[in-house]
Amino acid sequence: MRLSRYFLPTLKETPAEAQIASHRLMLRAGMIRQGAAGIYSWLPLGHRVLRKIENIVREEQDRAGAFEVLMPTIQSSDLWVESGRYDDYGKEMLRIEDRHGRKMLYGPTNEEMITDIFRREVKSYKDLPKNLYHIQWKFRDEIRPRFGVMRGREFLMKDAYSFDLDTESAVRSYNAMFVAYLRTFARLGVRAIPMRADTGPIGGDLSHEFIVLAETGESEVFFDQGFNDFDPMATQPESGTDLQPIVDQWTSLYAATEEMHDPSKAAKTSDRLVQGRGIEVGHIFFFGDKYSKPMKAEVQNAEGASVAVQMGSYGIGVSRLAGAIIEASHDANGIIWPESVAPFKVGLMNLTPKDADCTKACDQLYSDLCKAGVEVLFDDRAVGAGAKFANMDLIGLPWQIALGSRGIKNGIAELKNRATGEKQEVDLATIVAKLAN
Ligand code: 5CA
């Protein structure tokens, strides 16, 4: 992409309304713009990041055996009356009336709707287990929307719903999601710690939150230092493997975490205690028949008896993750994208656009990188080198190539790693091969 043609409205000044780094940087890097409180448009750079996050989430859900669907954002209130949650949900639910006076709502979550879909189609235990997920916009009329996309009112969520015949099988489904989450967050370049959690309005008795560590996180957390030694990407079980040992391995540490919520207990184990702040990027629940019972989502078991199915739901804050990743990965100059979610892998800068030779060499390099399948943002604008360097640091692409008149004469470019700041001179003849793969 040529920056001269792109839509990248960056800001030099820090916007007054932004209190935390990710919000500030997302506005400054031209990723998002606010429409109304807690409601954002995603501009091209932000949209690319959002889609990359979404795709990694999707790949790991598919890998775990869940099937993608897409349910609407607007729901009828009827199902919520049936489950008993219509009144309970309170002011966080945006209630709408259509032209016929029917009560509708902008979905804050989809347990009711998926339970309705399931009960109409599935009648036998032979069709279980099933896990259906979608990636869709949700609306919650948060009392205090803040921190940009981190606590929005409209936000993008991945929500999955599992259906099983009995508790034992439901726990297997829960474990499959637990492991999928470890892999997902690792691929996104963040360390997310699973913590035993309250179930809140979703209900149920088994639940974990996944917390990304960041100084600006909304919650204070205490965790076992053992978490720092685990590699979630080592978790690549063959299909059919028993996942319980993997989950146990993590939850044995997590048990210590829960205890440490109580600082007096935490003090006793202080040699293993790490204190931090965190952002909740995922939340998984097992809630049995909380919805299947009132909504009569039943299947016939092997003995021919009708039984309510055992359900779980599994959320990931896809749009929140864009902010959370930045909170966990930035410096004074801007964002530092992990390669897996970077909007472009490489930023190419023409430092001397007035020099025809340099411009020719940059155009050639840009074209070669594109041909090699490298995602590159080419700053071909007629602005000073200083502004280009500052802009590249702000938007945080993993690699920066700077090419100017002096380098051209010697056939070399300067390659900078955004994360380490390390610079090296690279032969123009080998730079494409170095960045492709
Ligand atoms: N139905 C269940 C799981 S499918 C559910 O709704 N869970 S949740 O309420 O915990 O939300 C799932 C995830 O969405 C959270 O972990 C969080 O990452 C994200 N999320 C929740 N509220 C917001 C919000 N106001 N802004 C941005 N992300 C949010």
Side-chain angles (χ1 to χ4, degrees), residues 298-301 304-308:
E298 296 173 349
V299 294
Q300 289 221 316
N301 67 13
S306 270
V307 292

Side-chain angles (χ1 to χ4, degrees), residues 108-109 111 140 142 149-152 155 157-161 202 280-283 285 313-317 320:
T109 178
E111 278 81 2
R140 293 182 186 173
E142 299 275 354
V149 299
M150 296 263 263
R151 183 165 293 283
F155 58 96
M157 191 202 285
K158 183 285 297 181
D159 40 330
Y161 302 89
I202 307 290
E280 180 203 316
V281 289
H283 202 159
F285 306 83
S313 74
Y314 314 90
I316 290 183
R320 174 179 287 184

Side-chain angles (χ1 to χ4, degrees), residues 284-321:
I284 61 178
F285 306 83
F286 167 60
F287 45 72
D289 60 7
K290 181 177 152 91
Y291 301 93
S292 56
K293 207 167 165 189
M295 294 184 69
K296 298 205 169 44
E298 296 173 349
V299 294
Q300 289 221 316
N301 67 13
E303 287 77 46
S306 270
V307 292
V309 289
Q310 297 289 313
M311 290 177 61
S313 74
Y314 314 90
I316 290 183
V318 176
S319 50
R320 174 179 287 184
L321 267 162

Side-chain angles (χ1 to χ4, degrees), residues 7-293:
F7 184 67
L8 184 66
T10 51
L11 308 171
K12 273 207 198 70
E13 307 302 326
T14 297
E17 75 266 30
Q19 301 166 33
I20 62 168
S22 60
H23 189 193
R24 240 171 4 243
L25 290 170
M26 288 181 84
L27 289 169
R28 285 195 54 213
M31 291 178 65
I32 55 166
R33 288 294 181 261
Q34 183 176 296
I39 302 177
Y40 290 88
S41 294
W42 292 75
L43 305 188
L45 196 79
H47 187 248
R48 286 178 76 97
V49 173
L50 191 64
R51 287 289 166 256
K52 290 203 171 177
I53 296 172
E54 187 184 320
N55 280 333
I56 289 175
V57 169
R58 175 176 288 115
E59 281 170 19
E60 292 300 329
Q61 291 293 294
D62 292 347
R63 182 190 161 95
F67 301 117
E68 187 168 14
V69 299
L70 185 57
M71 291 178 272
T73 53
I74 306 289
Q75 306 182 19
S76 157
S77 61
D78 297 350
L79 295 172
W80 289 73
V81 172
E82 222 186 302
S83 74
R85 272 208 296 184
Y86 189 60
D87 293 326
D88 291 356
Y89 221 96
K91 288 197 164 172
E92 250 189 41
M93 183 188 272
L94 182 66
R95 293 153 209 261
I96 312 165
E97 211 173 272
D98 74 8
R99 67 200 298 163
H100 307 291
R102 289 192 202 102
K103 292 195 168 105
M104 315 292 286
L105 56 99
Y106 194 130
T109 178
N110 286 62
E111 278 81 2
E112 282 78 359
M113 187 171 267
I114 198 81
T115 304
D116 182 51
I117 292 170
F118 178 89
R119 71 179 171 185
R120 289 162 186 262
E121 313 302 336
V122 181
K123 308 286 179 197
S124 164
Y125 74 97
K126 288 178 189 157
D127 295 323
L128 297 181
K130 283 279 175 292
N131 187 328
L132 302 173
Y133 77 98
H134 74 161
I135 299 175
Q136 179 60 292
W137 294 92
K138 302 284 149 66
F139 195 94
R140 293 182 186 173
D141 205 350
E142 299 275 354
I143 191 160
R144 268 209 314 156
R146 57 184 185 154
F147 302 157
V149 299
M150 296 263 263
R151 183 165 293 283
R153 292 198 295 167
E154 191 186 45
F155 58 96
L156 190 60
M157 191 202 285
K158 183 285 297 181
D159 40 330
Y161 302 89
S162 65
F163 301 88
D164 285 272
L165 181 63
D166 52 37
T167 313
E168 199 190 333
S169 157
V171 168
R172 272 200 296 276
S173 297
Y174 185 92
N175 290 347
M177 283 293 116
F178 189 103
V179 170
Y181 275 40
L182 296 176
R183 292 182 47 86
T184 302
F185 297 124
R187 282 187 63 189
L188 292 171
V190 288
R191 180 166 282 279
I193 296 180
M195 293 206 181
R196 186 116 193 170
D198 292 334
T199 51
I202 307 290
D205 39 39
L206 175 60
S207 176
H208 286 90
E209 285 176 19
F210 288 76
I211 308 281
V212 165
L213 298 177
E215 278 164 29
T216 47
E218 286 192 304
S219 34
E220 187 166 33
V221 294
F222 300 91
F223 60 95
D224 191 297
Q225 66 184 12
F227 276 115
N228 287 327
D229 307 328
F230 267 115
D231 176 9
M233 287 315 280
T235 309
Q236 298 210 28
E238 299 288 314
S239 67
T241 347
D242 182 9
L243 299 176
Q244 193 65 54
I246 298 168
V247 175
D248 284 352
Q249 192 186 16
W250 283 83
T251 47
S252 64
L253 291 175
Y254 125 75
T257 310
E258 187 183 42
E259 220 168 74
M260 290 169 194
H261 270 304
D262 177 350
S264 64
K265 287 181 188 159
K268 287 183 211 146
T269 45
S270 59
D271 55 326
R272 293 188 57 81
L273 180 72
V274 185
Q275 183 179 6
R277 299 196 71 81
I279 302 160
E280 180 203 316
V281 289
H283 202 159
I284 61 178
F285 306 83
F286 167 60
F287 45 72
D289 60 7
K290 181 177 152 91
Y291 301 93
S292 56
K293 207 167 165 189

